[in-house]
Structures are given as structure tokens and as C-alpha cells.
Amino acid sequence: MAVPGQVATDSSAKPMRAARFYGKEEIQIKDDIPRPVCGEGQIKVEPAFVGICGTDLHEYLGGPNFSPTSPHPVTNEQCPITIGHEFSGTVKEIGKGVSDKFRVGQKVVVQPTVYCASCGACKVGAENACSSGGFIGLSGAGGGMSEEVVMPEISIMALPPNIDLDVGALVEPLAVAWHAVDASPIADIKEPKCLVMGGGPIGLAVIQVLNARGAKLVICSEVAKKRQEFATEFGAHHVVDPSKEDVVARSLEICGGVNGPDIVFDCAGVPASVKASCNAVKSRGTVVNVAIFEKEIPFNPMWLTFREANYKSVLGYQRKDYLGVLDALGKGTIKPASMITGKIKMQDLVKEGYMPLIHEKDKHVKILVDMKASM
């Protein structure tokens, strides 16, 4: 079976155009990138829309962090690499041995997870935590900001017929949220009450997934005014401004004054949100860390001990999470289209994509690169 991240290229074919990350504050649009070859068990996808992720911004401002500076153990690539890991597209070519459920021209999304399939994590079905893992668009093996991408069949999933390709580019961040909610005890709680720390793209995705998964009450803690409005739009029943109110006290009040939220999802990733999450959760409740921390922070286990609360961390997503999101999109229980706050051409990636998300992040949720407009 083809392993995600192992892709051959054809140096004799006409080269393609792609956005490439070279290092801190250096992205170039190149026209001489070798095209990937669609091998056995693989599908070639023509990207349509690509989302710009917070990880992309961190790479640009202070990287390389995720992007390899020496050959990656799975992709065997290093910077410069083609970027873009949140994307949708259409099937362009189908390799030998692929099932008949795919056809050329079909609308699909790509799960960009790269893994080795042989380490301890992969052996226990936790390929999202592979010791040699990564993502296409961050670790090599191509990326969405290119004319063609090749991945094994298991990494390609069909979009529901009623979902457009631009919304398809939101499936990846929604899958992060689905994985976090699925890892929580939400299914075992009658009428769960939840607190989401942070109203950025992932926090907003968690709010939507919580509503789709039957949460009775969703509280969002967010400082920025525009993101507070987005949180309300996407289903938060209450929004708390932590710069003006005590999140712990206010959450307890909203939940009835006896117990705090059953589950707290920390999507903010700052020291204050960790402490507030642990202090807000009810006795024997669960804190789920969804955020990525760039450096070590203070943590006191006693925040949890005195309430016998649980702390769980999650990473990325798995195929089942993509399938869960796609099913919810098809049924209309998640309607994320208004997360898209801008569409740009690839040649304007830094000026009209990265810069607004860095300097005016409170005005945006997702800026998409329209690859059809870019070529």
C-alpha cells in the first residue's frame, strides 16, 4: 500500500507552478517544479482552494519549525518545500489499483497527514502522532499551492455533492475540531455544557462541531470584538471577554452556579488559558488541549487534582474525523461557509494573504487561495 508522503516526480514532463517556502519570511512562486507521478494506489488531484493556516504564519514569521531543514524521514525532502495543507480539488488522474468509487473530475478533499506506517504510534493506530510524521504542504511531498498533488487513495475523500470546493478547503481545520470533540467524553454526557477558550479559526471550528454533536451549552472566551461576533454567529450561546470578566466565575454562573463546564477546550494556547481552563472545568470534568505551544509554560497539576479533573491533549486528526466532518457537511449540521473572509490569487499570497492574517487577524477567519484564479 502506498504510504502518504512517498511520491515520485517526472523531470521529463513540463514543470508546474507552485508556492515554495524557503525559510523565515521567504516565499517564492516558482514555475520550474517537477510534476508528481501518479503511481499504483495513488490519486492525482488538481487543487482548487487552499486555506492559509496559523501554522503557515508561524513558519513564515519564525520558521522553519515544522518544515524540515534536513531530509524528512518519510518525504526525504527539505526546504524549500511546496506549501498548502488545507485544500480541496478535483481528481485529475487515477492510479492502478484504486477503487472504482473515484472518477476523474470528482470533487475531493485531501487529508495531508504524512506517516511512516511502522513506528509504535502507527502500529497502535495513532498515525496522527507518528514519530516521523508530518503533513504535505509542511513536510514535503508537494502541497496544495501547486498545479498537482499526489496522495494514496486512503488520503483522498469525496466531497458531498451539495458542498462547493471553497467550503471543501475548510474540512481540514474542521477535522482538527472534530478530532478534539470526539476525543472528549461528550458522547457520555447528557446535555453537555462546554467552554471554548479562544475564538480563532480552530476555536470557531470547535464551536460548530460542538453544536453538531449535541452540546446543550457552548461558552466562548475571546478578547477580540470581531471574533466575539464570529463566535456568536457560529453557535456560541455566551461569549465572555477575559479582559473584562473572570472567565472561571462567569462560566460557573452561566452553568448554574453549582458546577462549571463539563468539558473545556483550550484553543488559545497561552499560559493564562491553561490555568483558566483547569480552574473552570467542573469536578471530574475534562480539559482538552487543542492548541500548539511553541515553548514551555508553567503548569500546576494541583489545578486539576483538587477537583479530580482530567487533562487530555489531542493532535491533528485521523481519517475518521474527516469522514465525520464530511457527513455533517452533507447533512447540513455544520455550515461553515462564512468562515471564508477572503479569496486571493497565489501570486498575491504574502501581500493579500499572510500580511492581513498577521496584522489584521481579528478581521479574518480564513483567507483562501483560489488556485484556478492563480494559474
Side-chain angles (χ1 to χ4, degrees):
M1 183 178 70
V3 175
Q6 296 181 354
V7 179
T9 57
D10 184 359
S11 58
S12 66
K14 178 184 176 182
M16 66 177 181
R17 195 172 189 225
R20 304 275 281 179
F21 173 70
Y22 283 74
K24 182 179 178 180
E25 297 182 359
E26 186 178 3
I27 290 175
Q28 297 181 25
I29 310 300
K30 307 293 287 185
D31 294 306
D32 59 352
I33 306 304
R35 292 181 182 271
V37 174
C38 185
E40 185 173 354
Q42 295 180 323
I43 296 174
K44 181 179 287 188
V45 174
E46 184 176 38
F49 289 93
V50 189
I52 302 170
C53 173
T55 303
D56 296 320
L57 303 179
H58 286 302
E59 290 293 289
Y60 180 79
L61 291 172
N65 297 310
F66 283 95
S67 302
T69 55
S70 59
H72 188 275
V74 177
T75 70
N76 201 37
E77 290 189 34
Q78 65 189 79
C79 290
I81 57 166
T82 300
I83 55 179
H85 62 281
E86 303 180 353
F87 65 102
S88 63
T90 55
V91 174
K92 188 171 185 178
E93 185 181 340
I94 298 173
K96 182 181 177 181
V98 172
S99 66
D100 59 7
K101 66 182 179 181
F102 290 101
R103 66 183 187 282
V104 172
Q106 187 174 14
K107 296 186 299 183
V108 296
V109 292
V110 177
Q111 181 189 341
T113 312
V114 168
Y115 55 90
C116 70
S118 60
C119 72
C122 289
K123 290 296 186 183
V124 298
E127 71 284 347
N128 55 312
C130 173
S131 59
S132 300
F135 301 85
I136 63 166
L138 283 171
S139 310
M145 293 188 204
S146 65
E147 294 179 42
E148 298 176 350
V149 171
V150 166
M151 287 288 278
E153 178 181 356
I154 195 170
S155 301
I156 311 294
M157 281 152 272
L159 267 176
N162 58 324
I163 301 301
D164 293 331
L165 283 164
D166 55 351
V167 173
L170 303 176
V171 172
E172 196 269 0
L174 286 166
V176 172
W178 193 277
H179 185 73
V181 173
D182 205 47
S184 80
I186 191 169
D188 302 321
I189 302 171
K190 184 179 179 180
E191 299 184 333
K193 300 172 183 177
C194 304
L195 168 62
V196 178
M197 304 293 292
I202 297 301
L204 295 175
V206 169
I207 290 169
Q208 294 176 77
V209 172
L210 285 172
N211 278 285
R213 298 291 293 271
K216 177 186 178 181
L217 175 67
V218 179
I219 307 165
C220 178
S221 172
E222 172 56 50
V223 175
K225 179 65 176 176
K226 187 63 178 177
R227 288 187 171 184
Q228 292 172 2
E229 294 172 2
F230 278 127
T232 300
E233 178 183 349
F234 288 120
H237 303 100
H238 298 270
V239 177
V240 179
D241 183 343
S243 68
K244 298 178 181 178
E245 299 181 88
D246 183 325
V247 176
V248 176
R250 183 69 180 120
S251 297
L252 179 62
E253 179 186 2
I254 292 170
C255 290
V258 177
N259 259 320
D262 299 293
I263 314 170
V264 181
F265 296 87
D266 185 4
C267 305
V270 296
S273 70
V274 177
K275 186 174 183 178
S277 296
C278 294
N279 287 329
V281 73
K282 78 169 190 178
S283 295
R284 296 187 177 175
T286 301
V287 176
V288 181
N289 176 64
V290 194
I292 297 293
F293 290 82
E294 294 183 347
K295 57 184 179 181
E296 189 175 306
I297 65 165
F299 179 80
N300 185 350
M302 300 309 292
W303 297 336
L304 299 164
T305 299
F306 286 122
R307 48 178 41 87
E308 284 198 348
N310 306 292
Y311 190 91
K312 183 177 183 65
S313 264
V314 294
L315 177 64
Y317 37 68
Q318 296 180 290
R319 179 179 171 85
K320 65 179 178 60
D321 304 307
Y322 261 70
L323 294 173
V325 170
L326 290 167
D327 182 62
L329 286 172
K331 293 176 178 176
T333 54
I334 295 179
K335 297 179 180 179
S338 51
M339 289 179 73
I340 303 168
T341 51
K343 293 179 181 178
I344 63 172
K345 297 179 180 180
M346 187 170 69
Q347 52 264 39
D348 300 321
L349 178 60
V350 173
K351 181 180 178 181
E352 295 186 16
Y354 280 55
M355 290 301 107
L357 288 170
I358 291 168
H359 299 296
E360 301 175 303
K361 65 179 181 179
D362 294 342
K363 297 181 180 179
H364 290 281
V365 181
K366 277 293 170 187
I367 294 177
L368 303 184
V369 177
D370 183 343
M371 296 303 295
K372 295 298 184 182
S374 302
M375 298 304 175

